[in-house]
Amino acid sequence: MKISFDTEHDSFDSVIHAVQAAYGVSYSSNGDAPAAGGGEDDDYLPGKWTRPRLRKLVEWLADSDAAVAMRYIAEHAPAVDLDDVFEHMGAHTGIQDFDGKAMGGRMSAIGFARNAIGGGVTGPYDTDYNSRKYRMDKKVAEALLEEMDAYANA
């Protein structure tokens, strides 16, 4: 990522905000130094996720099959067997023998949403092919489930 600023036109706060956003550090214009990754007031979750970014992810996916799968993964964080997710998705979609190929097509929506959100976020989950598990950080899972519930109740 490249950023530039013009000291004659850009305010100090806007420049600092841009630099901090580029490096994934929360910004406060109240004069306090930002917490360096992981402080109590730090709104960043693992993978550079924030509540607003998770909210965008939820809105992007809305009521898709990818959202159903992601909810299941989050509910079973930090790890769930791929086969358990396939079984859940098979029951949800009515597709017999739901497999990785069927899953991959649906989960690609999460990758597209992540790319659209930007900000250097990683995937909200990892696929561990060696252990045949989906893995999601518990903090990300908790925040994601809260955002999904808020969206559903809005």
Side-chain angles (χ1 to χ4, degrees):
M1 169 187 295
K2 291 183 180 182
I3 58 173
S4 62
F5 56 89
D6 183 339
T7 57
E8 293 180 19
H9 296 106
D10 297 327
S11 72
F12 175 81
D13 281 348
S14 69
V15 171
I16 294 300
H17 184 166
V19 171
Q20 290 177 325
Y23 283 93
V25 177
S26 63
Y27 173 71
S28 171
S29 62
N30 64 7
D32 295 337
E40 258 184 67
D41 297 330
D42 192 357
D43 64 344
Y44 276 76
L45 297 164
K48 295 189 179 179
W49 285 101
T50 61
R51 291 288 183 146
R53 289 174 181 168
L54 286 171
R55 194 169 307 121
K56 284 182 188 178
L57 178 66
V58 169
E59 291 169 358
W60 182 285
L61 298 175
D63 298 320
S64 68
D65 287 347
V68 172
M70 193 168 56
R71 175 180 283 280
Y72 190 84
I73 293 167
E75 288 171 343
H76 295 86
V80 61
D81 289 336
L82 268 64
D83 293 327
D84 291 346
V85 180
F86 296 168
E87 183 178 325
H88 175 76
M89 290 305 294
H92 168 74
T93 62
I95 297 173
Q96 290 185 344
D97 301 322
F98 194 95
D99 60 7
K101 187 173 184 179
M103 190 69 167
R106 286 160 173 81
M107 300 304 272
S108 64
I110 296 172
F112 293 129
R114 178 192 62 116
N115 291 341
I117 290 166
V121 296
T122 63
Y125 66 91
D126 290 316
T127 306
D128 180 348
Y129 293 104
N130 291 331
S131 299
R132 293 194 48 77
K133 293 186 183 297
Y134 286 110
R135 300 189 185 279
M136 183 182 288
D137 180 86
K138 296 257 312 164
K139 289 180 182 179
V140 171
E142 180 182 312
L144 178 62
L145 289 170
E146 288 174 8
E147 292 300 330
M148 291 178 106
D149 290 343
Y151 179 83
N153 294 322

